[in-house]
Amino acid sequence: MKFILNEIIKEKWSFILASLTLLLTYTLVVIVICIQVESSYSVGSLTKMKGKHPYTCMISMNSGSDGKESEIKMIYQELKRRGILNHMLFLDRGVYGPNLEECVIMPNSSFNIFNIQLHDVQGGCSLGSDEIQVYLGDSIKNNYKIGDTLTISQVQGLCKTSGILKPGQIILDGGGTLELDNKLVIRVPDSYMDLYGNPECLLQNGCYLLSTSQDQFYREKSEIQEVFNQYSVKLKLLSINQIIIDTLEETKDTREAANMYLWICTLLSCLSVTMVTIKNMFENKKEYAVLCINGFDKKYIGKIILGKQMILMLSPIVPAVLLAYSLFLNSLITTYSVRQYVIENLILKFIPYILLLIGSQAMISFYYIKKLNPLAVLKGEVHN
């Protein structure tokens, strides 16, 4: 080991340059693997929702609806008069808890629509008639105790923590997915939306039509389109299943791109390390020849070369992970359960990558030593 360290010190500038090259390559590899793993996590979450909402669609207004508050108010009243409002789901965001956690106000019906699941809570939690249930996202479950009463200014009534969401719970939000792990989820009666001072503004935030049958679904979709056209307000009606399918396709493209970049990064890593290995062996061939003449086994010399390469390959790993996290991953992966999933899978995917590098350099090192002719090297008969 001492001999290896002395060799590294002697070639410190070459070692530093090679380490910096690997640091940048490793950073790219870590980012690509994390994108790949995060995409897999999203695919798993969305696949669970696929096909479960055949008669549900998202109602989304175009940006052209700005400045049409009076028309939207009349649309709201007309939908209410026709009874369609009773089959619509409103989600409200932009509400914050006591510790500035983002809240999502969700009517009872949305828990079934999005298949929201809870941890079993010991002892349960009894609620008074004027109290509203609040569920803690998995990554903020230690911020409060079950049974705590919370005052949230935008919510009319006392809110009481009543349970903890299982990790990885998601809802669709604006056509994309919204992780609930770092949110407070406030569960209110479906009629609660009537308590809003301006409930029609919820139409602008995005809402959902929930129907129980195919006939009802297409009839109410047609009526909603008719009412919006009547007041010249443009909207989009997007099937939840279609949103999920489209999102899965986009995620599939992301994973395929990540796979391609991962192979490119792996190839670049192998080439850069191999070039350093070959350069090192040719520069030090006389020293290795002298060791052979002095009775050192070729396997031992091969281990010295491989040892230097392993130090070179392993030393940039931790700095690369920290650099990738600070530059990119901290903003990409925001929830605890996703971060935990990514870290676990990053380790599983990064270890084979490092083993591949070490294995390739081991084969090169031992092949070179096997072919080494000490006498020819010392006589100057070997020039390459």
Side-chain angles (χ1 to χ4, degrees), residues 146-180:
I146 301 301
D148 282 353
T149 299
L150 310 180
T151 301
I152 299 175
S153 58
Q154 295 91 330
V155 180
Q156 300 180 27
L158 291 174
C159 298
K160 196 168 187 179
T161 53
S162 308
I164 300 169
L165 300 176
K166 286 187 175 179
Q169 300 300 296
I170 63 171
I171 59 173
L172 292 175
D173 179 58
T177 57
L178 178 69
E179 291 277 350
L180 299 180

mmCIF file of all heavy atoms in Angstrom, residues 146-180:
data_model
loop_
_atom_site.group_PDB
_atom_site.id
_atom_site.type_symbol
_atom_site.label_atom_id
_atom_site.label_comp_id
_atom_site.label_asym_id
_atom_site.label_seq_id
_atom_site.Cartn_x
_atom_site.Cartn_y
_atom_site.Cartn_z
ATOM 1 N N ILE A 146 -50.648 12.944 16.276
ATOM 2 C CA ILE A 146 -52.043 12.631 15.968
ATOM 3 C C ILE A 146 -52.914 13.190 17.087
ATOM 4 O O ILE A 146 -52.664 12.980 18.265
ATOM 5 C CB ILE A 146 -52.248 11.107 15.844
ATOM 6 C CG1 ILE A 146 -51.357 10.539 14.742
ATOM 7 C CG2 ILE A 146 -53.714 10.787 15.561
ATOM 8 C CD1 ILE A 146 -51.592 11.137 13.387
ATOM 9 N N GLY A 147 -53.950 13.924 16.680
ATOM 10 C CA GLY A 147 -54.839 14.540 17.658
ATOM 11 C C GLY A 147 -54.566 16.019 17.878
ATOM 12 O O GLY A 147 -55.350 16.699 18.537
ATOM 13 N N ASP A 148 -53.465 16.530 17.304
ATOM 14 C CA ASP A 148 -53.186 17.964 17.419
ATOM 15 C C ASP A 148 -54.255 18.762 16.688
ATOM 16 O O ASP A 148 -54.737 18.371 15.617
ATOM 17 C CB ASP A 148 -51.820 18.305 16.802
ATOM 18 C CG ASP A 148 -50.659 17.931 17.706
ATOM 19 O OD1 ASP A 148 -50.927 17.523 18.865
ATOM 20 O OD2 ASP A 148 -49.501 18.040 17.272
ATOM 21 N N THR A 149 -54.624 19.894 17.252
ATOM 22 C CA THR A 149 -55.577 20.802 16.612
ATOM 23 C C THR A 149 -54.803 21.914 15.918
ATOM 24 O O THR A 149 -53.948 22.560 16.531
ATOM 25 C CB THR A 149 -56.544 21.405 17.649
ATOM 26 O OG1 THR A 149 -57.277 20.341 18.273
ATOM 27 C CG2 THR A 149 -57.525 22.352 16.982
ATOM 28 N N LEU A 150 -55.079 22.092 14.643
ATOM 29 C CA LEU A 150 -54.379 23.096 13.847
ATOM 30 C C LEU A 150 -55.355 24.187 13.427
ATOM 31 O O LEU A 150 -56.507 23.910 13.102
ATOM 32 C CB LEU A 150 -53.769 22.468 12.592
ATOM 33 C CG LEU A 150 -52.916 21.198 12.773
ATOM 34 C CD1 LEU A 150 -52.400 20.731 11.411
ATOM 35 C CD2 LEU A 150 -51.759 21.452 13.715
ATOM 36 N N THR A 151 -54.875 25.406 13.447
ATOM 37 C CA THR A 151 -55.670 26.523 12.943
ATOM 38 C C THR A 151 -55.095 26.944 11.593
ATOM 39 O O THR A 151 -53.953 27.384 11.507
ATOM 40 C CB THR A 151 -55.634 27.709 13.921
ATOM 41 O OG1 THR A 151 -56.135 27.287 15.191
ATOM 42 C CG2 THR A 151 -56.484 28.861 13.399
ATOM 43 N N ILE A 152 -55.900 26.779 10.550
ATOM 44 C CA ILE A 152 -55.478 27.155 9.198
ATOM 45 C C ILE A 152 -56.441 28.225 8.717
ATOM 46 O O ILE A 152 -57.650 27.987 8.602
ATOM 47 C CB ILE A 152 -55.478 25.926 8.269
ATOM 48 C CG1 ILE A 152 -54.472 24.888 8.813
ATOM 49 C CG2 ILE A 152 -55.110 26.313 6.849
ATOM 50 C CD1 ILE A 152 -54.459 23.583 8.079
ATOM 51 N N SER A 153 -55.919 29.404 8.472
ATOM 52 C CA SER A 153 -56.752 30.597 8.282
ATOM 53 C C SER A 153 -57.766 30.456 7.154
ATOM 54 O O SER A 153 -58.880 30.947 7.253
ATOM 55 C CB SER A 153 -55.858 31.822 8.035
ATOM 56 O OG SER A 153 -55.036 31.619 6.897
ATOM 57 N N GLN A 154 -57.389 29.777 6.065
ATOM 58 C CA GLN A 154 -58.304 29.695 4.923
ATOM 59 C C GLN A 154 -59.380 28.629 5.100
ATOM 60 O O GLN A 154 -60.257 28.479 4.258
ATOM 61 C CB GLN A 154 -57.520 29.384 3.646
ATOM 62 C CG GLN A 154 -56.547 30.477 3.225
ATOM 63 C CD GLN A 154 -55.161 30.268 3.813
ATOM 64 O OE1 GLN A 154 -55.031 29.700 4.896
ATOM 65 N NE2 GLN A 154 -54.139 30.747 3.133
ATOM 66 N N VAL A 155 -59.304 27.848 6.174
ATOM 67 C CA VAL A 155 -60.253 26.757 6.382
ATOM 68 C C VAL A 155 -61.220 27.139 7.502
ATOM 69 O O VAL A 155 -60.799 27.507 8.599
ATOM 70 C CB VAL A 155 -59.512 25.451 6.747
ATOM 71 C CG1 VAL A 155 -60.501 24.323 6.960
ATOM 72 C CG2 VAL A 155 -58.531 25.093 5.640
ATOM 73 N N GLN A 156 -62.510 27.036 7.187
ATOM 74 C CA GLN A 156 -63.522 27.399 8.170
ATOM 75 C C GLN A 156 -63.804 26.194 9.059
ATOM 76 O O GLN A 156 -64.400 25.228 8.637
ATOM 77 C CB GLN A 156 -64.797 27.856 7.463
ATOM 78 C CG GLN A 156 -64.563 29.066 6.558
ATOM 79 C CD GLN A 156 -65.827 29.513 5.873
ATOM 80 O OE1 GLN A 156 -66.921 29.298 6.377
ATOM 81 N NE2 GLN A 156 -65.700 30.156 4.723
ATOM 82 N N GLY A 157 -63.352 26.269 10.310
ATOM 83 C CA GLY A 157 -63.512 25.160 11.245
ATOM 84 C C GLY A 157 -62.178 24.740 11.807
ATOM 85 O O GLY A 157 -61.122 25.117 11.293
ATOM 86 N N LEU A 158 -62.224 23.943 12.880
ATOM 87 C CA LEU A 158 -60.993 23.464 13.505
ATOM 88 C C LEU A 158 -60.482 22.238 12.753
ATOM 89 O O LEU A 158 -61.254 21.349 12.409
ATOM 90 C CB LEU A 158 -61.250 23.104 14.970
ATOM 91 C CG LEU A 158 -61.545 24.280 15.908
ATOM 92 C CD1 LEU A 158 -61.917 23.762 17.293
ATOM 93 C CD2 LEU A 158 -60.337 25.197 16.005
ATOM 94 N N CYS A 159 -59.191 22.212 12.518
ATOM 95 C CA CYS A 159 -58.575 21.085 11.825
ATOM 96 C C CYS A 159 -57.837 20.214 12.832
ATOM 97 O O CYS A 159 -57.092 20.720 13.672
ATOM 98 C CB CYS A 159 -57.592 21.583 10.768
ATOM 99 S SG CYS A 159 -58.364 22.565 9.475
ATOM 100 N N LYS A 160 -58.046 18.912 12.765
ATOM 101 C CA LYS A 160 -57.424 17.999 13.713
ATOM 102 C C LYS A 160 -56.636 16.924 12.962
ATOM 103 O O LYS A 160 -57.171 16.294 12.038
ATOM 104 C CB LYS A 160 -58.500 17.342 14.582
ATOM 105 C CG LYS A 160 -57.964 16.687 15.845
ATOM 106 C CD LYS A 160 -59.117 16.325 16.773
ATOM 107 C CE LYS A 160 -58.615 15.814 18.113
ATOM 108 N NZ LYS A 160 -59.739 15.491 19.020
ATOM 109 N N THR A 161 -55.369 16.727 13.323
ATOM 110 C CA THR A 161 -54.557 15.693 12.668
ATOM 111 C C THR A 161 -55.130 14.326 13.004
ATOM 112 O O THR A 161 -55.238 13.957 14.165
ATOM 113 C CB THR A 161 -53.090 15.798 13.108
ATOM 114 O OG1 THR A 161 -53.019 15.777 14.537
ATOM 115 C CG2 THR A 161 -52.463 17.089 12.617
ATOM 116 N N SER A 162 -55.470 13.573 11.950
ATOM 117 C CA SER A 162 -56.208 12.329 12.149
ATOM 118 C C SER A 162 -55.515 11.100 11.575
ATOM 119 O O SER A 162 -56.027 9.991 11.724
ATOM 120 C CB SER A 162 -57.597 12.450 11.490
ATOM 121 O OG SER A 162 -58.242 13.615 11.931
ATOM 122 N N GLY A 163 -54.389 11.262 10.923
ATOM 123 C CA GLY A 163 -53.714 10.106 10.355
ATOM 124 C C GLY A 163 -52.517 10.522 9.523
ATOM 125 O O GLY A 163 -52.217 11.707 9.372
ATOM 126 N N ILE A 164 -51.837 9.520 8.988
ATOM 127 C CA ILE A 164 -50.630 9.738 8.195
ATOM 128 C C ILE A 164 -50.806 9.042 6.839
ATOM 129 O O ILE A 164 -51.263 7.897 6.776
ATOM 130 C CB ILE A 164 -49.390 9.165 8.912
ATOM 131 C CG1 ILE A 164 -49.200 9.855 10.270
ATOM 132 C CG2 ILE A 164 -48.135 9.330 8.056
ATOM 133 C CD1 ILE A 164 -48.172 9.171 11.149
ATOM 134 N N LEU A 165 -50.475 9.744 5.781
ATOM 135 C CA LEU A 165 -50.566 9.152 4.443
ATOM 136 C C LEU A 165 -49.457 8.133 4.234
ATOM 137 O O LEU A 165 -48.333 8.321 4.704
ATOM 138 C CB LEU A 165 -50.439 10.242 3.378
ATOM 139 C CG LEU A 165 -51.474 11.367 3.389
ATOM 140 C CD1 LEU A 165 -51.122 12.389 2.324
ATOM 141 C CD2 LEU A 165 -52.870 10.836 3.151
ATOM 142 N N LYS A 166 -49.777 7.058 3.541
ATOM 143 C CA LYS A 166 -48.723 6.117 3.151
ATOM 144 C C LYS A 166 -47.789 6.805 2.155
ATOM 145 O O LYS A 166 -48.216 7.683 1.409
ATOM 146 C CB LYS A 166 -49.332 4.858 2.533
ATOM 147 C CG LYS A 166 -49.982 3.948 3.561
ATOM 148 C CD LYS A 166 -50.417 2.640 2.939
ATOM 149 C CE LYS A 166 -50.963 1.688 4.007
ATOM 150 N NZ LYS A 166 -51.428 0.406 3.425
ATOM 151 N N PRO A 167 -46.503 6.417 2.137
ATOM 152 C CA PRO A 167 -45.553 7.064 1.219
ATOM 153 C C PRO A 167 -45.964 6.894 -0.236
ATOM 154 O O PRO A 167 -46.572 5.896 -0.609
ATOM 155 C CB PRO A 167 -44.233 6.332 1.495
ATOM 156 C CG PRO A 167 -44.399 5.713 2.845
ATOM 157 C CD PRO A 167 -45.853 5.400 2.983
ATOM 158 N N GLY A 168 -45.641 7.903 -1.043
ATOM 159 C CA GLY A 168 -45.841 7.799 -2.481
ATOM 160 C C GLY A 168 -47.249 8.075 -2.963
ATOM 161 O O GLY A 168 -47.564 7.779 -4.110
ATOM 162 N N GLN A 169 -48.106 8.669 -2.114
ATOM 163 C CA GLN A 169 -49.467 8.990 -2.554
ATOM 164 C C GLN A 169 -49.414 10.190 -3.499
ATOM 165 O O GLN A 169 -48.730 11.179 -3.241
ATOM 166 C CB GLN A 169 -50.352 9.323 -1.353
ATOM 167 C CG GLN A 169 -50.466 8.191 -0.339
ATOM 168 C CD GLN A 169 -51.064 6.934 -0.940
ATOM 169 O OE1 GLN A 169 -52.211 6.916 -1.357
ATOM 170 N NE2 GLN A 169 -50.277 5.879 -1.007
ATOM 171 N N ILE A 170 -50.120 10.085 -4.617
ATOM 172 C CA ILE A 170 -50.109 11.179 -5.588
ATOM 173 C C ILE A 170 -51.524 11.482 -6.051
ATOM 174 O O ILE A 170 -52.440 10.650 -5.943
ATOM 175 C CB ILE A 170 -49.246 10.844 -6.826
ATOM 176 C CG1 ILE A 170 -49.836 9.630 -7.574
ATOM 177 C CG2 ILE A 170 -47.808 10.616 -6.462
ATOM 178 C CD1 ILE A 170 -49.180 9.379 -8.921
ATOM 179 N N ILE A 171 -51.711 12.714 -6.540
ATOM 180 C CA ILE A 171 -52.945 13.075 -7.236
ATOM 181 C C ILE A 171 -52.538 13.737 -8.549
ATOM 182 O O ILE A 171 -51.388 14.127 -8.734
ATOM 183 C CB ILE A 171 -53.833 14.034 -6.411
ATOM 184 C CG1 ILE A 171 -53.058 15.326 -6.082
ATOM 185 C CG2 ILE A 171 -54.332 13.369 -5.148
ATOM 186 C CD1 ILE A 171 -53.918 16.386 -5.412
ATOM 187 N N LEU A 172 -53.474 13.831 -9.464
ATOM 188 C CA LEU A 172 -53.227 14.579 -10.689
ATOM 189 C C LEU A 172 -53.534 16.041 -10.411
ATOM 190 O O LEU A 172 -54.503 16.372 -9.736
ATOM 191 C CB LEU A 172 -54.107 14.056 -11.822
ATOM 192 C CG LEU A 172 -53.770 12.646 -12.297
ATOM 193 C CD1 LEU A 172 -54.787 12.193 -13.323
ATOM 194 C CD2 LEU A 172 -52.376 12.589 -12.881
ATOM 195 N N ASP A 173 -52.709 16.910 -10.960
ATOM 196 C CA ASP A 173 -52.875 18.333 -10.674
ATOM 197 C C ASP A 173 -52.488 19.104 -11.924
ATOM 198 O O ASP A 173 -51.316 19.157 -12.288
ATOM 199 C CB ASP A 173 -51.987 18.738 -9.496
ATOM 200 C CG ASP A 173 -52.110 20.213 -9.179
ATOM 201 O OD1 ASP A 173 -53.237 20.658 -8.906
ATOM 202 O OD2 ASP A 173 -51.093 20.921 -9.224
ATOM 203 N N GLY A 174 -53.486 19.691 -12.585
ATOM 204 C CA GLY A 174 -53.180 20.449 -13.791
ATOM 205 C C GLY A 174 -52.625 19.598 -14.915
ATOM 206 O O GLY A 174 -51.876 20.078 -15.756
ATOM 207 N N GLY A 175 -52.949 18.313 -14.929
ATOM 208 C CA GLY A 175 -52.447 17.434 -15.980
ATOM 209 C C GLY A 175 -51.168 16.719 -15.602
ATOM 210 O O GLY A 175 -50.760 15.782 -16.265
ATOM 211 N N GLY A 176 -50.525 17.173 -14.524
ATOM 212 C CA GLY A 176 -49.315 16.505 -14.050
ATOM 213 C C GLY A 176 -49.601 15.777 -12.755
ATOM 214 O O GLY A 176 -50.747 15.627 -12.343
ATOM 215 N N THR A 177 -48.553 15.306 -12.098
ATOM 216 C CA THR A 177 -48.731 14.605 -10.832
ATOM 217 C C THR A 177 -48.244 15.470 -9.687
ATOM 218 O O THR A 177 -47.306 16.244 -9.821
ATOM 219 C CB THR A 177 -47.954 13.276 -10.826
ATOM 220 O OG1 THR A 177 -46.574 13.533 -11.092
ATOM 221 C CG2 THR A 177 -48.495 12.333 -11.869
ATOM 222 N N LEU A 178 -48.903 15.335 -8.545
ATOM 223 C CA LEU A 178 -48.542 16.092 -7.349
ATOM 224 C C LEU A 178 -48.293 15.104 -6.216
ATOM 225 O O LEU A 178 -49.184 14.340 -5.843
ATOM 226 C CB LEU A 178 -49.678 17.053 -6.972
ATOM 227 C CG LEU A 178 -49.453 17.886 -5.707
ATOM 228 C CD1 LEU A 178 -48.339 18.903 -5.944
ATOM 229 C CD2 LEU A 178 -50.733 18.597 -5.294
ATOM 230 N N GLU A 179 -47.062 15.091 -5.699
ATOM 231 C CA GLU A 179 -46.711 14.230 -4.569
ATOM 232 C C GLU A 179 -47.306 14.808 -3.287
ATOM 233 O O GLU A 179 -47.242 16.021 -3.062
ATOM 234 C CB GLU A 179 -45.191 14.140 -4.432
ATOM 235 C CG GLU A 179 -44.504 13.381 -5.554
ATOM 236 C CD GLU A 179 -44.537 11.887 -5.334
ATOM 237 O OE1 GLU A 179 -44.912 11.446 -4.237
ATOM 238 O OE2 GLU A 179 -44.192 11.155 -6.269
ATOM 239 N N LEU A 180 -47.842 13.951 -2.451
ATOM 240 C CA LEU A 180 -48.447 14.401 -1.200
ATOM 241 C C LEU A 180 -47.542 14.151 0.009
ATOM 242 O O LEU A 180 -47.925 14.458 1.130
ATOM 243 C CB LEU A 180 -49.793 13.691 -0.988
ATOM 244 C CG LEU A 180 -50.849 13.947 -2.066
ATOM 245 C CD1 LEU A 180 -52.134 13.190 -1.725
ATOM 246 C CD2 LEU A 180 -51.142 15.436 -2.228
#
